[in-house]
Amino acid sequence: MSTVLPDAAPTNWVDRLAPKGLRPWLKLGRFDRPTGIWLLMLPGWQGIALADALDHRPPDLRLLLLFFLGAVLMRSAGCAYNDIVDRDIDAKVARTAGRPVASGQISVRAAWACVIVCSLASLLILLSLNLVSIALGVASLALVAAYPFMKRITWWPQAWLGLTFNWGILLGFTAVAGGAVDEVFVDFRKFKVEFGGDLDLAPALLLYLSAVFWTLGYDTIYAVQDIEDDALAGVKSSARRLGSAAPRAVAGFYLAAIALAGVSAWMANLSWPFWLIAPVWAALLLRQPLRLKLDDPAGALALFQTNAFSAFVLFAVIAAGALRLNFSHL
């Protein structure tokens, strides 16, 4: 069996440059396919930019670096955990049969060790943030733990991925704005968390909901690659559920994402550079369903990968929305 996975570029740096013995470990963390790192990191950067924009300042560079490192570690831990849970299903699907755990290159015990080490390193980063961010970070573990099982339960595991992958928006926002909170109240009987102090989460929650729809769109595109294999393996996905309606549905998901991001920007009082440049981001999203074809898995993968760039554009336009430019004196 080839160790080059179908959805990794044949010329990826792991297969070209990494020592042979290290390659399975790097592939366990999906370092041969870095798109997932950016899709996990950039929502956190967007949350940071949104919170800093409320005070008309650029994003905090220290936090951007911490969220990059956290995304690398948590994505590695999440992929290893996902491969442990899905090893039997992965072995039945052509695109995933070569994954290190499913193919026997890495044992389940060794993969668990990877999960633990990466999670502990991520915890050190989380503990450097404020109390609200720590509480939200711990709360996200339930989403992460449940995600691999969603494809067995619901036709919409992509929606759960949206809830999970974009939690960084709330973390990033509170890492900046959560310092205004002096107490965190947890009521386990009512599953309720309240913050004491001055913290308006509304713009961040709207941006988070926007990102959930965005992920529902891009991961439906990603799932197009596996429609036939998923049917044989009995795995559910939005792409299978939607069938020929998938391109129209993705367009609808992206329109919802654009509208919710716009409301978030309005509530955060972002300045005119956001509104000037944001249509570029919207166009990057809406071109995808226009080009999506269910009989073209390679094209679906290429469309999916463009979302890393579109997410960076949204981060940039939110940061630009912090500017208060006045040309009246010219």
Side-chain angles (χ1 to χ4, degrees):
M1 178 182 295
S2 172
T3 59
V4 180
L5 296 172
D7 56 349
T11 56
N12 73 82
W13 74 273
V14 172
D15 286 306
R16 286 188 299 108
L17 302 175
K20 189 172 181 179
L22 191 58
R23 289 175 194 171
W25 293 98
L26 292 171
K27 292 183 178 183
L28 182 67
R30 309 288 197 274
F31 286 95
D32 54 335
R33 286 166 289 167
T35 299
I37 294 175
W38 316 135
L39 295 179
L40 182 60
M41 177 196 77
L42 285 163
W45 280 22
Q46 292 164 11
I48 292 168
L50 184 65
D52 278 320
L54 295 175
D55 290 326
H56 318 309
R57 62 189 181 213
D60 186 307
L61 293 179
R62 170 184 166 273
L63 286 176
L64 295 182
L65 177 60
L66 288 176
F67 272 65
F68 165 68
L69 295 174
V72 171
L73 291 165
M74 283 307 297
R75 198 237 181 172
S76 298
C79 289
Y81 172 65
N82 188 79
D83 284 7
I84 292 167
V85 174
D86 282 350
R87 60 189 183 277
D88 294 332
I89 292 176
D90 285 347
K92 300 175 184 177
V93 177
R95 184 178 60 82
T96 58
R99 286 180 175 174
V101 178
S103 62
Q105 298 173 67
I106 293 177
S107 69
V108 172
R109 179 177 294 182
W112 272 119
C114 178
V115 172
I116 292 169
V117 170
C118 290
S119 298
L120 289 175
S122 298
L123 178 62
L124 293 177
I125 295 175
L126 181 64
L127 292 176
S128 71
L129 305 179
N130 58 53
L131 186 61
V132 179
S133 297
I134 293 172
L136 287 173
V138 172
S140 71
L141 295 178
L143 293 169
V144 174
Y147 169 66
F149 301 98
M150 289 298 112
K151 63 173 69 73
R152 299 163 171 84
I153 299 171
T154 175
W155 287 105
W156 303 97
Q158 284 69 29
W160 195 270
L161 180 68
L163 294 171
T164 306
F165 242 53
N166 297 297
W167 198 257
I169 289 175
L170 303 180
L171 274 178
F173 188 87
T174 57
V176 175
V181 174
D182 47 27
E183 292 181 284
V184 178
F185 305 96
V186 181
D187 188 337
F188 291 103
R189 292 173 299 176
K190 297 181 179 179
F191 299 99
K192 186 176 182 182
V193 179
E194 294 182 351
F195 303 121
D198 184 18
L199 177 62
D200 182 7
L201 275 175
L205 288 170
L206 284 164
L207 187 61
Y208 173 63
L209 186 56
S210 165
V212 171
F213 278 103
W214 166 59
T215 302
L216 185 52
Y218 76 62
D219 205 46
T220 296
I221 294 174
Y222 189 78
V224 164
Q225 300 175 91
D226 297 331
I227 288 179
E228 294 182 3
D229 285 335
D230 282 350
L232 292 172
V235 173
K236 298 178 179 180
S237 75
S238 56
R240 282 191 63 204
R241 181 68 180 85
L242 292 165
S244 61
R248 295 191 300 275
V250 170
F253 299 149
Y254 283 166
L255 286 171
I258 292 165
L260 287 163
V263 176
S264 171
W266 174 76
M267 291 194 67
N269 195 29
L270 298 188
S271 60
W272 64 265
F274 173 89
W275 304 104
L276 179 66
I277 311 170
V280 175
W281 166 68
L284 289 170
L285 295 188
L286 293 176
R287 66 183 286 273
Q288 295 175 39
L290 294 175
R291 299 189 177 191
L292 179 62
K293 293 180 174 57
L294 300 185
D295 60 353
D296 183 12
L301 175 62
L303 288 173
F304 160 78
Q305 290 172 332
T306 65
N307 282 281
F309 178 67
S310 65
F312 181 81
V313 171
L314 180 57
F315 159 71
V317 298
I318 292 173
L323 301 175
R324 292 294 186 269
L325 304 177
N326 187 349
F327 300 106
S328 61
H329 64 286
L330 298 179

